[in-house]
Amino acid sequence: MTSSSSSKQNISLEEWEGKMAEVPIAKSDLNQLIMNYLIIEGYKDAAEKFSEESGLHSSVDLGSIEERMQIRFAVQNGDIKTAIERVNDLNPDLLDTDPRLYFHLQQQHLIELIRQGKASEALEFAQDELAPHGEEHPELLRELERTMALLAFDVSVSSNRSPLAELLDFAHRQKTANELNAALLAAHSQPKEPKLPALLQLLAWTQDQLDEKANYPRISNIVNAVLEEHKQQPSSSSSSGAKDGN
């Protein structure tokens, strides 16, 4: 009986590289891809340097990246009031036209008050600022109730054991910061997400699909992007033959 691996097509490294060389890829497209990543992820200095070296001029004001990153860093540091003030200076209409985003920023501020042990201030803030949002948008009430439940736990001692611990994790700040960053980009008619990560995900998916049909040089480490030639495994027949010889 023929194994599934023996029925796969075997492609050598030389043949694979030859096929890749036949695919036309414009350097300008690669430069655009890199610039897209640097701008959206907020690497202002790197974007300016790359623009100089590549001769690629972005339609985006690179100076605006720094303003956007200051807002992002404020959220990541838990300084939500500063973030909201900077957003209103940069785009006064953004939070008025996106009530879900504004709620999530206020929710994060509530989390920070609870984290600091300011229970009375947290209750007052939830009643004055967040409750009205819940009345206008009932789908947000569940999130508010879940956040308020943090008051039932001693977050300074047992936050890691609380079923609501994820709200206190840095990843929740990051999630809120990413949501705000995407909204700021969209408000300036820029893509919300860089293209490069999506292409890398597509590469991984494509290789998984191709693994079922062929043995070929694949990229196992996307950091160095080195093609690793497939190593042939000894067939079961040769293994059994060796045993018989013994």
Side-chain angles (χ1 to χ4, degrees), residues 13-244:
L13 178 60
E14 182 179 3
E15 182 182 0
W16 190 255
E17 289 179 334
K19 292 291 185 182
M20 291 177 62
E22 295 175 1
V23 180
I25 300 177
K27 186 176 182 180
S28 58
D29 291 338
L30 294 178
N31 289 343
Q32 289 282 4
L33 186 64
I34 295 171
M35 182 62 81
N36 167 265
Y37 179 82
L38 295 176
I39 289 175
I40 293 179
E41 289 300 312
Y43 297 107
K44 175 178 176 288
D45 293 342
E48 291 176 340
K49 184 68 174 177
F50 185 73
S51 177
E52 293 175 5
E53 294 179 351
S54 65
L56 179 64
H57 300 289
S58 173
S59 58
V60 177
D61 176 14
L62 297 182
S64 66
I65 297 177
E66 187 169 355
E67 296 172 335
R68 182 162 49 84
M69 286 303 98
Q70 287 176 349
I71 293 171
R72 187 175 189 171
F73 293 149
V75 176
Q76 290 172 337
N77 291 329
D79 189 357
I80 309 304
K81 283 188 174 181
T82 296
I84 291 175
E85 289 173 0
R86 288 185 179 277
V87 169
N88 288 333
D89 289 340
L90 184 64
N91 191 328
D93 297 327
L94 180 62
L95 299 181
D96 290 335
T97 57
D98 194 338
R100 178 176 289 274
L101 171 62
Y102 186 53
F103 173 85
H104 286 155
L105 286 170
Q106 298 283 58
Q107 177 194 33
Q108 189 64 49
H109 181 61
L110 175 61
I111 291 171
E112 302 304 332
L113 290 175
I114 296 173
R115 190 199 308 276
Q116 296 165 22
K118 300 178 179 178
S120 298
E121 189 175 342
L123 284 169
E124 183 178 354
F125 179 78
Q127 182 178 355
D128 294 344
E129 300 295 337
L130 286 171
H133 286 285
E135 293 175 0
E136 295 177 12
H137 306 277
E139 70 277 8
L140 299 177
L141 272 176
R142 174 58 182 158
E143 293 186 59
L144 175 57
E145 292 170 355
R146 190 163 178 264
T147 306
M148 292 301 297
L150 284 172
L151 290 169
F153 298 90
D154 185 350
V155 298
S156 64
V157 176
S158 58
S159 61
N160 60 329
R161 291 175 294 191
S162 164
L164 305 172
E166 64 183 76
L167 294 175
L168 296 166
D169 194 84
F170 176 78
H172 195 272
R173 284 183 181 175
Q174 185 65 47
K175 178 182 176 183
T176 305
N178 288 344
E179 181 183 0
L180 178 54
N181 187 56
L184 288 169
L185 286 165
H188 290 84
S189 302
Q190 298 177 42
K192 294 182 179 181
E193 300 287 342
K195 297 176 181 178
L196 187 56
L199 289 175
L200 292 176
Q201 290 175 355
L202 180 60
L203 169 64
W205 179 85
T206 303
Q207 289 192 149
D208 287 342
Q209 299 300 307
L210 191 55
D211 285 342
E212 300 177 3
K213 301 179 181 179
N215 298 319
Y216 64 98
R218 71 192 319 279
I219 296 175
S220 299
N221 186 342
I222 62 173
V223 176
N224 57 31
V226 174
L227 287 171
E228 298 179 358
E229 192 161 13
H230 176 77
K231 296 180 180 179
Q232 294 287 348
Q233 299 294 330
S235 64
S236 57
S237 58
S238 61
S239 299
S240 60
K243 291 179 180 179
D244 292 340

